[in-house]
Amino acid sequence: MDKKIIVAIDGYSSSGKSTMAKALARLTGYIYVDSGAMYRAVTLYGLRKGAVSAERGVDEAALTALLPEIDIQFRKDEAGNQRTLLNGEDVEHEIRDLEISNLVSPVAALHPVREYLVGLQKGYGRERGIIMDGRDIGTVVFPDAEMKVFVEATAEVRAHRRLREMLEEGNEATYEEVLHNILERDRIDTTRKESPLRKAPEAITFYNNEIPLEEQMMVLHKIFDERVAQANAKDNG
Ligand code: CDP
């Protein structure tokens, strides 16, 4: 039997990471985990409980105290789409709202939040056979991942992609608002002290400016097969 590996896909916001990760999970039968959804769910919980607000920002002590109450699970709906559950409630739609997108990066910059979520993420990968996307998956969560991909695209391409997704899902926004949010999150995510977004030296860079998904998947699947073969060979050698 083939050895199971870990695939880490990192990159800037709305670069198409999750589309690639989900497609690869379908092709390989691996579990897919959207680590960004976990930071978004914590942000939503903090907002509901008053520890996070657009006017006052993030109350780190209050949010830290809430962390043990937060349970995050993933499940698939009838159409096979992944849904995020916050304490059992399906919050998939709500966490994609611009209000959450505007608050999530300051929340994700906090040490207690990262410690809590990284702990859960490492647990999901214990059996390997997992594809996770985010900002620090190849650098912090799974530094030993057999396959690491770093996805880049221009801010304009990313803003158009995200706006399209949001409108399709019934979340309202303008192009200018989305572009502003993307640039601001890029800035916070790359400059924060704790686990900043950066490419792992051994990660393969993918420039994702409107490459058709089928082409991306051919390349990714080939790399995946090579990495599995290497893992098998290492195991037998
Ligand atoms: O899908 P999108 O590119 O908009 O972002 P996301 O993956 O949903 O992540 C939302 C935010 O969570 C990011 O902008 C980061 O601030 C944070 N995040 C993080 O810090 N570390 C991760 N592994 C994943 C997300």
Side-chain angles (χ1 to χ4, degrees), residues 4-5 36 77 79 102 113 118 128 199:
K4 288 193 167 174
I5 64 166
D77 65 14
N102 283 331
V113 172
V118 169
R128 306 190 96 74
K199 178 183 171 298

Side-chain angles (χ1 to χ4, degrees), residues 4-185:
K4 288 193 167 174
I5 64 166
I6 292 184
V7 181
I9 304 187
D10 288 306
Y12 295 92
S13 52
S14 320
S15 53
K17 302 179 299 293
S18 66
T19 309
M20 290 162 61
K22 280 179 206 161
L24 193 62
R26 262 196 300 275
L27 283 170
T28 57
Y30 275 25
I31 296 165
Y32 163 61
V33 174
D34 176 353
S35 69
M38 301 172 76
Y39 289 93
R40 287 172 178 271
V42 167
T43 305
L44 175 63
Y45 195 74
L47 187 69
R48 286 179 176 176
K49 297 283 178 178
V52 176
S53 93
E55 298 76 33
R56 296 182 309 279
V58 189
D59 179 337
E60 180 171 350
L63 187 61
T64 303
L66 292 172
L67 290 174
E69 297 171 17
I70 302 180
D71 175 58
I72 300 168
Q73 308 273 343
F74 295 102
R75 73 164 180 90
K76 283 215 174 108
D77 65 14
E78 306 76 46
N81 297 316
Q82 190 154 295
R83 317 283 305 177
T84 307
L85 303 184
L86 168 60
N87 293 338
E89 175 193 349
D90 185 331
V91 292
E92 187 58 38
H93 182 73
E94 224 173 321
I95 59 171
R96 306 295 161 190
D97 201 83
L98 201 56
E99 187 185 18
I100 299 295
S101 297
N102 283 331
L103 293 167
V104 63
S105 286
V107 167
L110 300 177
H111 173 76
V113 172
R114 301 207 73 81
E115 196 176 37
Y116 182 63
L117 293 184
V118 169
L120 293 178
Q121 291 155 7
K122 284 182 192 271
Y124 299 151
R126 210 159 283 140
E127 311 276 313
R128 306 190 96 74
I130 191 169
I131 301 171
M132 195 177 289
D133 72 341
R135 303 293 187 285
D136 60 340
I137 311 305
T139 51
V140 174
V141 181
F142 299 123
D144 64 342
E146 290 83 352
M147 175 169 168
K148 297 183 185 181
V149 179
F150 193 83
V151 192
E152 287 191 17
T154 65
E156 289 73 20
V157 164
R158 292 186 284 129
H160 279 298
R161 179 183 290 135
R162 178 48 49 91
L163 178 65
R164 200 170 52 231
E165 281 170 9
M166 288 181 70
L167 296 179
E168 275 168 16
E169 289 162 18
N171 282 325
E172 277 173 39
T174 65
Y175 173 77
E176 285 70 30
E177 284 171 337
V178 173
L179 180 64
H180 175 77
N181 172 256
I182 280 177
L183 293 172
E184 187 57 13
R185 278 198 288 139

Side-chain angles (χ1 to χ4, degrees), residues 196-213:
L197 167 63
R198 59 176 181 79
K199 178 183 171 298
E202 65 279 25
I204 300 154
T205 304
F206 238 81
Y207 294 99
N208 192 14
N209 289 321
E210 305 294 351
I211 312 171
L213 184 64

